[in-house]
Each structure stands twice: as C-alpha cells, then as structure tokens.
Amino acid sequence: MAGRSELVVSFGEMLIDFVPTVAGVSLAEAPAFVKAPGGAPANVAIAVARLGGGAAFVGKLGDDEFGRMLAAILRDNGVDDGGVVFDAGARTALAFVTLRADGEREFMFYRNPSADMLLTHAELNVELIKRAAVFHYGSISLIAEPCRSAHLRAMEIAKEAGALLSYDPNLREALWPSREEARTKILSIWDQADIVKVSEVELEFLTGIDSVEDDVVMKLWRPTMKLLLVTLGDQGCKYYARDFRGAVPSYKVQQVDTTGAGDAFVGALLRRIVQDPSSLQDQKKLEEAIKFANACGAITATKKGAIPSLPTEVEVLKLMEMLEAWKYCDAVMLLESQVDEDIE
C-alpha cells in the first residue's frame, strides 16, 4: 500500500460501457454489444497502478453484479478500493457508446439515478483521501446532488491535507441538462485545481473559440495553477507552467481504439509528478514526463478497450527506446544521403 508521498487518489464514476461488436455503426444499427469497464477517473487510477504506482479510487457502485465486478477489477489491477461504497437501492451506471462511420461518437447513458450520483459526503473515506499526494477528479460528479457536495468536500479534505488537485473535465455533453450549465459548473471549481488537462474540443467548449493558440488557452489559466495542459490527439500536447510553456509531439502509431488514451496520458503524467514533484518547476523534467505520458496514450490507442490496453512501465520505455532508435536511424540515413549528394 502506497504511503502519502506517491499515492494518487481518483474520485468519481466507474461504469459499464457497452460497445458494438462491429465498428462504424450507430447504436441502433449495432447487431450486438460487449461489456467493458469504464469511467475516466477509474481508468486513471488503474493507469497509475499499471505503471507501478500507488492508486486508490473513491466512488459509489450499485450493490449488483456489475458493481461487484467493477470493484474486483480495481483490486485485480492493484488499485485500493477502500473508498468504494455500494448502494442497495440504485444500479451501477451503464453507457452504450459507439464510433460511427462519420467519425462522431454516440453515447446513450442509463443513470436515472445511478449509484455513482448518490455518493454522500458522509460516505467518504476521509483517511484515504488525506493520504493522497494527488487527488484527481472529473466533472461528471458535479452534475447532481448529493454527489456534487461529496465531490466538493473531498476536494477540501485533500487540499487541506496538502495534496495537489488534478482536474480533467472529461466533458460528456449528453449527461448535462444544457451546454450552459455544463460550462458553468465545470468552471465553478476551476480556480482550485493545481493541474488541469483539457482536450482541444473541451478548450473550444469552455472558451467559445475554435483555436489552440496561446492567447485562447491562456483564457483558462489561473494564477493558482501549477500546470495547464491541452492534449491534441496524435499531434501531441501543449503545456503551460508558471515560468515556462511549450509543446511536446506525440508518438506516431497505428490507432485501433482511442478510448482511454487520454486517461492513460493523465495517469502516466500524475505517476511521474508524484515520483518527482520538482518536474512542475523544471521544464526539461516536465517535458520528459509528458513524453512518457504521450507514449502511454499512444500504446493505449493501439489496442481495443481502455483498461486492457493500459501499459506497464516496461512497455512504455520499450516503445520510447524503439521510436527514438528509429528517429536516430532516419537521421543517419538522411545524413548519408546528403553526403552522397555532396560527393556526386
């Protein structure tokens, strides 16, 4: 069990995703579905544990077959489930999700209400939260009471105990009553986070501007932040710290399923930060941490399913070494071709 110094505690939802057995169809067209564990905060916790780090999950599941299965998946993957509670009166959340032929994701959620929405502040494992070096969360747990109040209280407990607060909004518009309420509530806790990660889609949603230029990103910067990240899919990541900023390219891979790639990125980055918190003030160290996180996201995208695709540290380092070697070989070949041209 990890001590406080490197423990990442993840708060929020864990659910069952139902994914079509064939690709490129709408939910209505899908002939059948297979179940897969999901939920961004849980994915992040498992990503940390898969990399050899200490991780715990705080949330509520239904006291049903799916809920017990999800708790077992956490334990089997080395995640402390001491923060998990069960609700006898509500079911574990379900989500049907597909990537249509036009490239758009389609979601259908069953949570009216689901167990994760019913977590109360009295059910929080306070001692576990106090041990966190990083307390990570999303925005879905802000949608409805009583979970919203439990979320806010958990943030307070973690912050008072000295944890870094990590926020990935993980926007799911279909779950919110309106776009305006989603934007307002997501931003309502913005100032309290130390580390924030948004995708370029979320950047546009929150700023109203379709651009990833620095002046747009800086609309989301707060003086209290230590790090703001904008992930750009296979284009890599832009980062903004108090004293420096920059961009780190991604690793080019053959993508099969991008589900969970962002969670793998977040988990890997948090793992590196708890190992060496000074990376938040050291640009070279931070870029190395982001390279590692990019590699984790890239590997996850090469396989189907989020949790089964999350890599170990050995797999990540092997990929990084292999791709760096390819870059070296490409550079040597380029130099040799230039020499040959000079001789001619």
Side-chain angles (χ1 to χ4, degrees):
M1 185 177 291
R4 177 202 173 92
S5 62
E6 293 190 5
L7 180 65
V8 175
V9 176
S10 204
F11 175 96
E13 72 281 356
M14 191 175 191
L15 62 153
I16 301 290
D17 285 333
F18 284 90
V19 185
T21 52
V22 296
V25 298
S26 69
L27 292 176
E29 295 167 337
F33 296 85
V34 293
K35 69 179 188 297
N43 290 345
V44 169
I46 293 174
V48 172
R50 193 73 59 83
L51 293 168
F57 179 76
V58 176
K60 197 170 197 178
L61 300 169
D63 191 6
D64 51 37
E65 287 294 316
F66 285 150
R68 297 292 174 183
M69 181 192 84
L70 292 176
I73 286 171
L74 289 172
R75 292 192 299 273
D76 291 346
N77 283 278
V79 176
D80 185 339
D81 69 338
V84 174
V85 293
F86 295 91
D87 194 303
R91 297 297 189 187
T92 300
L94 308 178
F96 289 79
V97 56
T98 187
L99 186 65
R100 301 189 315 231
D102 61 7
E104 290 297 315
R105 275 195 176 184
E106 185 179 353
F107 292 92
M108 185 183 297
F109 296 94
Y110 286 80
R111 54 194 310 266
N112 296 304
S114 53
D116 61 290
M117 301 166 68
L118 301 178
L119 180 70
T120 68
H121 64 83
E123 294 172 311
L124 295 172
N125 185 331
V126 173
E127 293 308 310
L128 177 62
I129 294 170
K130 284 182 176 179
R131 286 178 42 225
V134 171
F135 183 73
H136 176 75
Y137 47 86
S139 69
I140 290 174
S141 43
L142 297 173
I143 295 174
E145 294 289 0
C147 188
R148 174 178 167 80
S149 291
H151 180 149
L152 297 177
R153 180 59 186 140
M155 286 173 58
E156 289 176 3
I157 293 167
K159 194 71 170 179
E160 289 169 2
L164 290 172
L165 299 189
S166 166
Y167 187 18
D168 177 0
N170 189 40
L171 176 67
R172 293 289 180 266
E173 282 191 54
L175 292 176
W176 292 91
S178 68
R179 286 174 60 88
E180 186 54 41
E181 183 170 342
R183 189 177 294 107
T184 299
K185 284 191 174 177
I186 287 172
L187 291 174
S188 69
I189 59 171
W190 206 259
D191 295 3
Q192 299 172 56
D194 298 292
I195 301 167
V196 175
K197 191 279 287 185
V198 294
S199 67
E200 56 185 316
V201 172
E202 291 162 344
L203 176 65
E204 180 183 357
F205 178 82
L206 294 171
T207 64
I209 304 171
D210 182 11
S211 169
V212 295
E213 295 302 316
D214 288 353
D215 60 330
V216 176
V217 178
M218 289 306 290
K219 291 179 182 296
L220 297 182
W221 175 263
R222 300 293 184 271
T224 51
M225 287 181 182
K226 291 181 171 62
L227 180 64
L228 173 62
L229 302 129
V230 181
T231 52
L232 306 171
D234 60 5
Q235 298 304 305
C237 170
K238 300 181 77 171
Y239 66 87
Y240 303 78
R242 289 180 179 174
D243 300 319
F244 50 83
R245 64 180 63 171
V248 178
S250 185
Y251 291 92
K252 304 300 181 185
V253 295
Q254 184 64 46
Q255 294 186 354
V256 174
D257 180 5
T258 59
T259 304
D263 302 327
F265 172 90
V266 172
L269 184 62
L270 295 181
R271 172 64 183 145
R272 281 293 192 248
I273 287 172
V274 297
Q275 285 181 297
D276 186 359
S278 71
S279 58
L280 292 170
Q281 291 86 40
D282 184 312
Q283 188 167 15
K284 184 177 180 181
K285 287 182 179 180
L286 181 61
E287 289 203 351
E288 287 302 314
I290 293 174
K291 284 181 185 178
F292 181 81
N294 279 345
C296 280
I299 290 173
T300 304
T302 64
K303 305 173 188 176
K304 281 193 173 183
I307 291 174
S309 305
L310 296 170
T312 64
E313 185 170 32
V314 170
E315 290 173 321
V316 179
L317 296 176
K318 183 177 180 181
L319 173 72
M320 294 175 73
E321 285 180 14
M322 181 173 65
L323 293 179
E324 288 299 325
W326 284 348
K327 285 182 183 177
Y328 174 76
C329 290
D330 288 343
V332 169
M333 290 175 65
L334 178 61
L335 286 171
E336 288 176 345
S337 66
Q338 290 174 340
V339 170
D340 291 339
E341 288 175 4
D342 291 341
I343 293 173
E344 292 173 1

